Amino acid sequence: MLNPLLLKHYRLETNVLSTFLLATLVAPLLVDTAKLPPPKAGIALKPHLVIVASDVHTIATLHAKNRPNILDALNTRPDKFNGGARYEDTKLMDILLTRKLPEIPRFNQETSGIVICNVNPGFCRSELMRELPSLVRTIMYGIFARTTREGAKNFVWASLVNEIPQGSYVSSCAVANPSSFARSTEGTLVQRKLWNELGKVLTSVAPEVAEYWGSA
């Protein structure tokens, strides 16, 4: 069961809070795995930490980015909640926070041996949109969607390729540029702000991960 301290962050707990809490909790295991001998001569497999992103991060507005506390601001008006916009915002947060992870010594590839990246599986024909009217699903799937098999290829590629630059965004089985905002000076400032805010929340829930979440 998810800790109540995480649940209070409205609709952020799955895509952001729990995701990065799990990432830091499994970090020691990933580091230990990187030290193991290869499973077979000539095969070099590095442990990968792959955070699920989405290309919808490119249309995220993150209106709360200029508020004193972004996470708190996103929780202040549940009556104004917009599920689509919140999903887009969380995926932008995933991009920014994943890019920050390799700056932490325990996650740096030279010291940890871990490959860290985001992956965009793309819009797939699945049951995730089962609550939409069937006609809407048929049109959207017919025009925009790829098969779940094609989407899964992105996960496999991101999980196996050792040469992916740390903190990169992967889409269509290739390293790609994230949104212009994510690459901007403002995006870097928001990234640092989010990192510090998230660290305070997660270390209050799991003090053992405090070493990862020092102030940026």
Side-chain angles (χ1 to χ4, degrees), residues 19-196:
T19 294
F20 286 92
L21 177 58
L22 180 61
T24 45
L25 287 172
V26 302
L29 180 60
L30 293 175
V31 171
D32 289 344
T33 302
K35 298 175 182 176
L36 295 175
K40 187 177 181 180
I43 297 177
L45 291 177
K46 294 182 179 180
H48 286 55
L49 178 61
V50 181
I51 307 294
V52 181
S54 170
D55 51 4
V56 301
H57 84 277
T58 59
I59 59 174
T61 55
L62 194 56
H63 289 304
K65 62 181 178 290
N66 294 320
R67 300 288 292 276
N69 188 294
I70 297 172
L71 296 181
D72 284 348
L74 290 172
N75 290 323
T76 54
R77 294 295 302 274
D79 57 313
K80 299 292 185 180
F81 176 74
N82 180 310
R86 179 58 54 85
Y87 179 79
E88 295 155 9
D89 286 348
T90 62
K91 291 307 178 182
L92 175 59
M93 292 180 193
D94 287 340
I95 296 285
L96 297 176
L97 292 166
T98 301
R99 192 171 60 184
K100 178 67 179 174
L101 279 175
E103 297 179 18
I104 307 307
R106 290 293 296 273
F107 279 112
N108 182 279
Q109 190 177 93
E110 291 184 2
T111 57
S112 72
I114 305 171
V115 178
I116 299 172
C117 65
N118 282 118
V119 62
N120 166 42
F123 179 43
C124 300
R125 302 184 192 98
S126 70
E127 293 299 308
L128 290 178
M129 300 183 69
R130 59 187 177 276
E131 296 179 359
L132 290 179
S134 59
L135 179 59
V136 174
R137 288 202 313 272
T138 300
I139 294 173
M140 292 183 67
Y141 286 167
I143 298 176
F144 302 111
R146 61 179 59 167
T147 65
T148 52
R149 181 173 181 174
E150 289 297 315
K153 288 180 181 179
N154 292 289
F155 288 112
V156 174
W157 192 88
S159 300
L160 293 179
V161 176
N162 292 336
E163 293 74 28
I164 297 173
Q166 289 293 77
S168 292
Y169 173 64
V170 170
S171 185
S172 297
C173 297
V175 175
N177 283 328
S179 68
S180 57
F181 175 81
R183 292 179 281 121
S184 68
T185 300
E186 183 184 12
T188 300
L189 294 175
V190 171
Q191 170 184 300
R192 184 179 301 122
K193 187 177 180 181
L194 277 171
W195 181 269
N196 292 335

